Amino acid sequence: MSARRQELQDRAIVKIAAHLPDLIVYGDFSPERPSVKCFDGVLMFVDISGFTAMTEKFSTAMYMDRGAEQLVEILNYYISAIVEKVLIFGGDILKFAGDALLALWKVERKQLKNIITVVIKCSLEIHGLFEAKEAEEGLDIRVKIGLAAGHITMLVFGDETRNYFLVIGQAVDDVRLAQNMAQMNDVILSPNCWQLCDRSMIEIERIPDQRAVKVSFLKPPPTFNFDEFFTKCMGFMDYYPSGDHKNFLRLACMLESDPELELSLQKYVMEIILKQIDDKQLRGYLSELRPVTIVFVNLMFKEQDKVEVIGSAIQAACVHITSVLKVFRGQINKVFMFDKGCSFLCVFGFPGEKAPDEITHALESAVDIFDFCSQVHKIRTVSIGVASGIVFCGIVGHTVRHEYTVIGQKVNIAARMMMYYPGIVSCDSVTYDGSNLPAYFFKELPKKVMKGVADPGPVYQCLGLNEKVMFGMAYLICNRYEGYPLLGRVREIDYFMSTMKDFLMTNCSRVLMYEGLPGYGKSQVLMEIEYLASQHENHRAVAIALTKISFHQNFYTIQILMANVLGLDTCKHYKERQTNLQNRVKTLLDEKFHCLLNDIFHVQFPVSREMSRMSKIRKQKQLEALFMKILEQTVREERIIFIIDEAQFVDGTSWAFIEKLIRSMPIFIVMSLAPFSEVPCAAANAIMKNRNTTYITLGTMQPQEIRDKVCVDLSVSSIPRELDSYLVEGSCGIPYYCEELLKNLDHHRVLLFQQAETEQKTNVTWNNMFKHSVRPTDDMQLFTSISEGQKEVCYLVSGVRLNNLSPPASLKEISLVQLDSMSLSHQMLVRCAAIIGLTFTTELLFEILPCWNMKMMIKALATLVESNVFNCFRSSKDLQLALKQNVPTFEVHYRSLALKLKEGLIDEEEAIFSKSELPRKYKFPENLSITEIREKILHFFDNVILKMKSSPNDIIPLESCQCKELLQIVILPLAQHLVALEENNKALYYFLELASAYLILGDNYNAYMYLGEGERLLKSLTNEDSWSQTFEYATFYSLKAEVCFNMGQMVLAKKMLRKALKLLNRMFPCNLLTLTFQMHVEKNRLSHFMNQHTQEGSVPGKKLAQLYLQASCFSLLWRIYSLNFFFHYKYYGHLAAMMEMNTSLETQNDFQIIKAYLDFSLYHHLAGYQGVWFKYEILVMEQLLNLPLKGEAIEIMAYTADTLGHIKFLMGHLDLAIELGSRAHRMWSLLRNPNKYQMVLCRLSKPLFLKSRYKHLVQVLGWLWDLSVTEEDIFSKAFFYFVCLDIMLYSGFIYRTFEECLEFIHHNEDNRILKFQSGLLLGLYSCIAVWYARLQEWDNFNKFSDRAKHLVTRRTPTVLYYEGISRYMEGQVLHLQKQIEEQAENAQDSGVEILKALETLVAQNTTGPVFYPRLYHLMAYVCILMGDGHSCDFFLNTALELSETHGNLLEKCWLSMSKEWWYSASELTGDQWLQTVLSLPSWDKIVSGNVTLQDVQKNKYLMRVNILDNPF
């Protein structure tokens, strides 16, 4: 039975019938239109309160959290219950009118008495339903019911394509009046219904001063059997299911296929519904909260009682309304009798019907309908209300009976305006603002209190859309503000200045055309151009703005331009215009032809006989000739610049005149226009192709320009980085989009402002670590102050989720216009792609739409790419560039060009190694010397590389690592999708994955942001005691700690790590007593693990996950404790390192164990335990030798070579660091991992730099540059420029110029990766400061030194930080030299502080010995400046010894020159470094042999010491 029922429901005719009442489905109507049919029956009008308010709540909701879906669920939950009751009691649902419905019980007149009783019973049961159900969404849903009975007339009307029906008569008027009298939960009987009912069955309550009555309850006699009574009554109903069909709610559910009936029924159903049925889409697909324009038309008739007369008037009106709406893609949604009149509910913007300029078209249609219907002699009054905004559009009702309807406050406002402002076309303020029509098309109306509308805002009368010459009203639409700069359009203004200069010099016509989509700021550009043009003498700028209506007005553009040229725009009266005109044209035009100007300029010259006989064409020619003469005369006196905004609305005749004009005389025309919607006329085409025309397509604003705009718009000196990302991505670089997004944020009150605090030390917490990181460019600071000296900063309300905010209605409208222009299949594709996110792959989209075949999908995607809906990118470089330029990016095929296999960096005599298999279970012989072990290690890595090259298919991945792309196009969309589905547990997992991945990629800010998302989700979870949630909290704190560690916030990091370890049941001691005990325990554990050759059994999954997390925490802890040189801290550091070792050994995982061995070795290296570190490095190699050469093991080997090279560099073993680094470089290159590859290149460059191996250094820098460009990797590029600055400062030649390095810093210092990688930015700022200090440009020095100073406090135990801090300290030492030279009072104190800071750096365990020579060199210089020659000798000799031991040729050479210089009698001139800088050779000169490396080595900065004999 159920299969049969499903088969019936799937039939198209059944689906169509579900949208129609039985009255239509089974009706037998005359084909004539209109046709009339009369019958008797009972009407029920049910009004449901609360839905409009609910719709408003969802439409203005802050977040996009399934609003339309929830609304449909709630609506249908209630309405379907009512529909089901009505159908069970034999009723026929005639119409759904928003949140109300009209039902009919059609019977013969003699049955009305009994049927009224049935309908009352049904009404009371409906009320019972709502009393039993609890209100949803905090809204109290209640119903009011009115009943009427009597004679009813049905009117069917329409045209060949669409039919509509109405029920008319006293009963229809009565039922509406009865419902209006009802209060909540009332049932009101109309007077006629009360007369016809069985009064003995009904208990009523009288209504004062009314003949209608209120039903209290039914009071049947004791012997009354309602079931028998009901069955008897239903026997009189024609289409009530009975017998075999009694289980069906409607007989229409069982309609058999009937093509003729189906075609007949289709005419009553809207086209979008028929499409939905044809495409077999779910009903919910059409339900959405959608911006539309409502046009409510009400017709009041002269002869109310005559149905035939009313019918013909309604028919005439309907045919005209349908024809008008069809032109602009509007549709009639409902027709019903409303307060003694007939009302048409017309809607513009239904799904699939959204069009540009919708509001203008709606107003134009409304005026047309008003004009036509006002002429129909049977219609007394025409009233039209137009309102725009978001409403619910969707299918409402039951599965067997439903309709497509609109519900919302805007529907109510349109209806109320229609009734409260009769006889005119009225509109709300949203329609007025959105029409973009001149204000003189409207008149503001007095406010009225309208029922059911709290605050409609201003109401306007639309006076008509026929453009008139309104002198003085056609100026440019936007205003220019002195305090508001034109942002991001420097190049566009330069085009104008260049073209204007050319025009003034050559005396030839010039046309400058700016094309741009709406919202690109064309009007602002023209306003700036008008201002600039008006600043010059001897020429005159005439600027006008056109509207959509201008296009349809013949010669309108020239009419307005000439009015301005002739000065008529300032005349207050037509007589003044007439006098001015007479004076200007008396020598150019015979007086009898002056009347030619009457219609053009609204003057009243006498009409001559000659003029009255002229044809229209001849009049036009005469007029054009006159205008030409006037312009020729004007041009001889002064140059003219015509500026036309919205030039796509220039009419054809005006285009033709302009085309003649530029050929006839020198004139400069500047236009802005949107792309033509249709092929432009021949004259417009000719102008665009003219050789004197410059055609410019406006582009989008760049991210920094959007940032500047936001700061200027908000008058703030900084905005949150999260807000910056949201606006840059959401605006796509379009100024209007940015403004609308800002307005939306302001509407939802998520922006907070407060006075900018003066820079001072504040307690850093997790919540304020990344606050207010984005500032406008320096030249915008002037425009971001609220008053002189006062600045505000912008904050976000706590907990706001920007990425899930509902878009503003204006932007939703724009996107829907584009979406609705597509086919339904393309719409589906775009919607699914949007769910994935900003970027997606074809494969991922295919997974979401498995019913599509790949060929079909590729074809559809190609079409969407051609129409600029999607963009297709085939390389990571193109993708990243597009993302940075705010271009929407979609299909990606990532292939990295930077990871081509390159030769490793080794000496020219490359050794040939054996290709034999590596031995298994290998252990190093105990009698090997250190040199032999070194050779064996290097030999091992060489064998691995040969194996990788000889068996690439087994070892090397087929394509590059795609971590960044996976994060953007897979992980992030999944996380956001799961949040939308409220699956917070799963979403949390993905956000933690995102945070972890971004930490690996060096993006601390993104990691911070996604941890914030994770924290919000974590707090929403309820099952707090579960193991998984405890582990998630531990993971969360450990990732937080890593972010804090990277940001140099060690106190916070330590706090987070302790929390994580506590959650993982691994307490870390807080005092020396527990420290001693724990140390003893861990030593015993380590001894046990080291003596245990094999471990039995595998570690359970949960336990293993905990161990990995514990090891990660301990790895950070020992580094944090090593930063502090207090005596007892080294014991905490030692314990943490040992606990990491033990935890890793417990995992039994090779990579974890090797990583722990390397960490333990590094710890002992830095702590000065000479014998211990060597043991663990041997253990690392033994572990590696026992791994198979495949899969993960290869990555472990590459990681080991890289890390060992890094350790050797830190310890000053530069040659070995280069050997290991070059092998790691080749391995990561073969493994195609861009992140690891760039890291090894950065690490390799430093020992090469210190060894002065410049040929190989430049080779590495070349690879690093290629990688940074191809992968769009900012870290690689920043490190590249850091090394370039080092080369200039210390190596004595130029690889990239200082200006290029400085420009890079200026453009990228706010980059989120660099800004929160303190070491690298510290190094860049400090290098620039040192450069300026050497040149004694102290203002520039202070600027960059201060920036560096803010980063010094972010102490991190990393090479980058120590590279940066050593340069920073050099800058401070040079500044000390200046202080001593100037005999500053605090010079000695500064010297003592600098010396103490340098000694502290050397004393820290985390400072590698490789930095000691530079630090001792600086200490020696401070000592000699302060007159301490003994200490200077000690530090200088120590530095020289270390340089010799390390093989640090760069520092050794500089130290030798310093020693020779400081103890010589020579004097150093102040400008010696300036002379050196001017003569620094480029690398190309060195390569060509014009300059030798020996000469280059002499280009060292010599620190001056012979300042005073006794400085203190």
Side-chain angles (χ1 to χ4, degrees), residues 528 631 948 1439:
E528 187 70 15
L631 289 171
M948 291 171 75

Side-chain angles (χ1 to χ4, degrees), residues 994-1004 1007 1011 1039 1042-1043 1046:
L994 280 164
S996 178
Y998 275 114
L999 280 170
I1000 292 168
L1001 294 170
D1003 191 341
N1004 292 307
L1011 282 171
L1039 292 173
E1042 195 170 344
V1043 172
N1046 293 341

Side-chain angles (χ1 to χ4, degrees), residues 243-261:
D244 294 341
H245 307 138
K246 64 182 180 182
N247 291 325
F248 288 88
L249 281 172
R250 284 184 80 193
L251 280 180
C253 297
M254 301 176 59
L255 284 174
E256 297 292 338
S257 295
D258 183 342
E260 187 178 345
L261 177 60

Side-chain angles (χ1 to χ4, degrees), residues 716-718 753-759 772 786 789-795:
V716 294
S717 57
S718 68
F753 304 92
Q754 69 178 47
Q755 195 79 14
E757 297 176 2
T758 54
E759 290 197 12
H772 308 293
I786 52 174
Q790 284 192 316
K791 288 186 178 292
E792 283 191 337
V793 292
C794 176
Y795 294 85

Side-chain angles (χ1 to χ4, degrees), residues 1095-1136:
Q1095 296 185 41
E1096 296 180 4
S1098 59
V1099 183
K1102 287 184 178 181
K1103 176 69 174 173
L1104 193 61
Q1106 282 187 320
L1107 291 172
Y1108 285 150
L1109 199 53
Q1110 288 170 12
S1112 174
C1113 292
F1114 289 130
S1115 178
L1116 290 176
L1117 260 183
W1118 73 256
R1119 285 172 168 83
I1120 292 170
Y1121 280 112
S1122 298
L1123 265 175
N1124 203 309
F1125 54 85
F1126 288 120
F1127 181 73
H1128 63 281
Y1129 270 68
K1130 72 175 185 178
Y1131 294 113
Y1132 285 105
H1134 190 195
L1135 175 62

Side-chain angles (χ1 to χ4, degrees), residues 1036-1049:
F1036 177 69
Y1037 282 120
S1038 71
L1039 292 173
K1040 266 189 169 183
E1042 195 170 344
V1043 172
C1044 296
F1045 179 87
N1046 293 341
M1047 290 294 295
Q1049 304 301 330

Side-chain angles (χ1 to χ4, degrees), residues 397-414:
H398 194 279
T399 52
V400 300
R401 181 69 182 97
H402 45 252
E403 283 183 14
Y404 190 78
T405 191
V406 287
I407 302 173
Q409 188 68 8
K410 289 297 178 179
V411 183
N412 289 3
I413 288 173

Side-chain angles (χ1 to χ4, degrees), residues 468-482:
K468 297 177 182 177
V469 178
M470 302 295 286
F471 301 112
M473 292 189 179
Y475 297 127
L476 295 186
I477 296 168
C478 62
N479 297 314
R480 182 182 186 275
Y481 299 104
E482 287 292 334

